[in-house]
Each structure stands twice: as C-alpha cells, then as structure tokens.
Amino acid sequence: MPEGDTVWQTAQRLHQALAGSPLTRSDLRVPRLATADLTGRQVLEVVPRGKHLLTRVEGGLTLHSHLRMDGSWQVYGPDERWRGGPHHQIRAILANAAHTAVGYRLPVLELLRTGDEDRVVGHLGPDLLGPDWDPDEALRRLLADPSRPLGEALLDQRNLAGIGNVYKSELCFLLRVSPWLPIGEVPSPERLAAQAKKLLEANRNRRARVTTGESRRDRRLWVYGRPGLPCLRCGTPVRAADQGSAGQERSTFWCPSCQAGPRGPDPS
C-alpha cells in the first residue's frame, strides 16, 4: 500500500530515470490531458510531497500524480517488457532515450504550472521525509482538535504528510494506545511525530516494510493485516474494525491487551 516511504522511493526511481534528459515520448491518458504533449521538454526533477509526486519539467510545468490505494509508477529499459498491469490501466507514459516510466491506475493525474503547486499540496502538513519537516508544527496540528481519535488524526495529511493505514496502526501499537483514544489524552504526545519519522526513515530504503525489526514475512508488522492472529507481543488475538467518518472509513488493526484506551467497535 503506497505511503510516504513508498512515494519517496518512487520519486527516487523516477528522478534517476528521467531527470536531466528531454522526453522523447509523452502520453497522458486522461481526457483533460489528451492534447497535452511534453515531448522535447527536459525533466528537471521528481520530488515527493507526502503521498504526492511532482514531476517538474522545463517551461514551468509540473505533472502532479497521486498513487492512492493501488496506483504505481514503473520504470523500464528500452527492451524491457512492461509488467505493471493490463494495458488499459496505463494512465501516463514518459520516456527518454534510456528509460520509460509508466504510470498504472493513477487516480490523480494533472498538469499545472510549477508556480501553482500549492494548489494541490499547499494544504499538507510537514512532510515526514521532506526538507520542510517540523516536529513542533506537526504536533501543534495534531493537537488542534484534542477530542479527535488518534487514528483519524494520524491519517489526516493536513496534520503531517506521509502516514497511511499501515503506519497508523503500527504507530498506535508502538505507542501502546488505542487508535480510538482522543489524541488529547495520549501520554507524551511529542512521541507521535518522533516515532512516525523514525519508522518512515527506517523504511524508505527497504523493499519490504518492517516495524518489528524482524525480516520474516509473517513477523514484519506488529498488527497491520493480522486480524485474528496472536499479537506478537502478548498473544492476544489482533482485532480489526473500520475507523473514520461515513464514507471515509479505513481498516484499523490493534491489540486490545497491549493498547490502552477505547477498544473500538465490536466486530460485526
């Protein structure tokens, strides 16, 4: 699942493949960009911003994309077979003489002036893997609504950018508090931002995400994706439930023994 570390890795791959060379092919397969052509323009850089990707090209243009749940960018060599999914799922193709970047299942793809990037990312909080990281500002935003459940506050990209569903559940476990605990009641809340940054930095260069310190596939994560399985710390069955306002519910995983506070809804 794409989160801040995945997006950071994707930006690195795209930057290494595309930056510094003119595009020999530009194919943007969304209706509003059907006539847009970036061919001949040099890619200046590809930068991540939270879960957003900004591909800046000469002429003051930025191609903005977002992976959401299952989007991806894949990079291929000249004779390499494309393996990212069916042809009809391709939303963007950017190529130079050496590499081809193919965007699959991209739910967000738009072309804008580079000077207007704030229109799409200006609302984001401090980026956990970005140069603008400010733990004090992140904490201020997190605590602005002290009654909000911790899990919801962590997912809100306006508070701090880069946390998704996996890190939300894992952070709550590591802090030993329920995802339903009001954030204003979290002991030593300054740990939130510090622990979040530590996790994402530890995983930004890994192929497989790890929060437990163990490399075995079934022991890499404490609670995420483990409903009904024994907690790796205490053996209590891990629980799962939806969390969030109507229409924005996200699956949440937690150990009712290791994590203090409200236990969340009963499983249906």
Side-chain angles (χ1 to χ4, degrees):
M1 182 176 295
E3 302 198 16
D5 52 351
T6 306
V7 175
W8 189 90
Q9 292 172 12
T10 300
Q12 301 305 302
R13 290 198 304 272
L14 290 173
H15 182 84
Q16 291 170 9
L18 300 177
S21 298
L23 292 171
T24 57
R25 182 179 180 185
S26 165
D27 186 358
L28 306 179
R29 300 180 179 180
V30 296
R32 64 182 174 278
L33 298 180
T35 61
D37 187 3
L38 302 176
T39 303
R41 296 176 187 259
Q42 180 171 293
V43 174
L44 303 178
E45 60 182 344
V46 183
V47 298
R49 182 72 174 86
K51 299 182 185 181
H52 299 252
L53 284 162
L54 303 171
T55 301
R56 297 169 179 155
V57 299
E58 66 178 349
L61 294 177
T62 294
L63 184 66
H64 166 234
S65 58
H66 195 297
L67 305 181
R68 296 248 171 105
M69 296 293 288
D70 63 348
S72 72
W73 279 97
Q74 304 294 329
V75 176
Y76 304 108
D79 301 316
E80 191 174 356
R81 184 172 65 88
W82 298 1
R83 305 175 304 279
H87 197 70
H88 70 268
Q89 293 182 347
I90 295 173
R91 297 293 176 266
I93 301 172
L94 299 175
N96 57 30
H99 299 97
T100 299
V102 184
Y104 293 89
R105 301 172 300 278
L106 300 175
V108 175
L109 189 69
E110 59 184 325
L111 191 63
L112 64 152
R113 303 297 303 180
T114 301
D116 294 333
E117 287 179 358
D118 272 357
R119 178 170 64 80
V120 293
V121 296
H123 65 288
L124 298 175
D127 187 339
L128 284 155
L129 294 178
D132 71 323
W133 174 242
D134 182 340
D136 294 331
E137 175 62 14
L139 182 61
R140 185 192 70 78
R141 293 186 181 215
L142 284 166
L143 296 178
D145 183 358
S147 65
R148 194 174 191 187
L150 172 60
E152 294 181 36
L154 287 172
L155 277 185
D156 191 335
Q157 302 299 295
R158 296 170 298 181
N159 291 333
L160 66 172
I163 290 180
N165 225 29
V166 178
Y167 284 120
K168 173 196 70 175
S169 295
E170 296 296 291
L171 275 167
C172 291
F173 180 86
L174 288 168
L175 294 170
R176 295 189 176 237
V177 293
S178 163
W180 281 269
L181 183 70
I183 193 167
E185 298 179 22
V186 173
S188 304
E190 65 278 0
R191 297 180 301 157
L192 287 171
Q195 185 69 66
K197 184 169 180 61
K198 180 179 178 181
L199 281 183
L200 266 73
E201 285 191 334
N203 282 288
R204 67 181 180 182
N205 290 313
R206 286 176 174 158
R207 297 189 65 179
R209 191 175 286 140
V210 176
T211 61
T212 62
E214 297 196 32
S215 59
R216 278 176 45 186
R217 186 180 182 87
D218 62 342
R219 299 182 70 86
R220 292 173 183 163
L221 302 176
W222 289 107
V223 290
Y224 183 83
R226 295 176 51 83
L229 295 176
C231 170
L232 295 177
R233 179 178 286 153
C234 75
T236 301
V238 172
R239 288 185 55 187
D242 287 341
Q243 182 180 29
S245 56
Q248 297 182 336
E249 301 94 338
R250 300 291 298 277
S251 296
T252 297
F253 303 86
W254 79 104
C255 173
S257 296
C258 289
Q259 296 173 249
R263 295 197 170 203
D266 292 327
S268 57

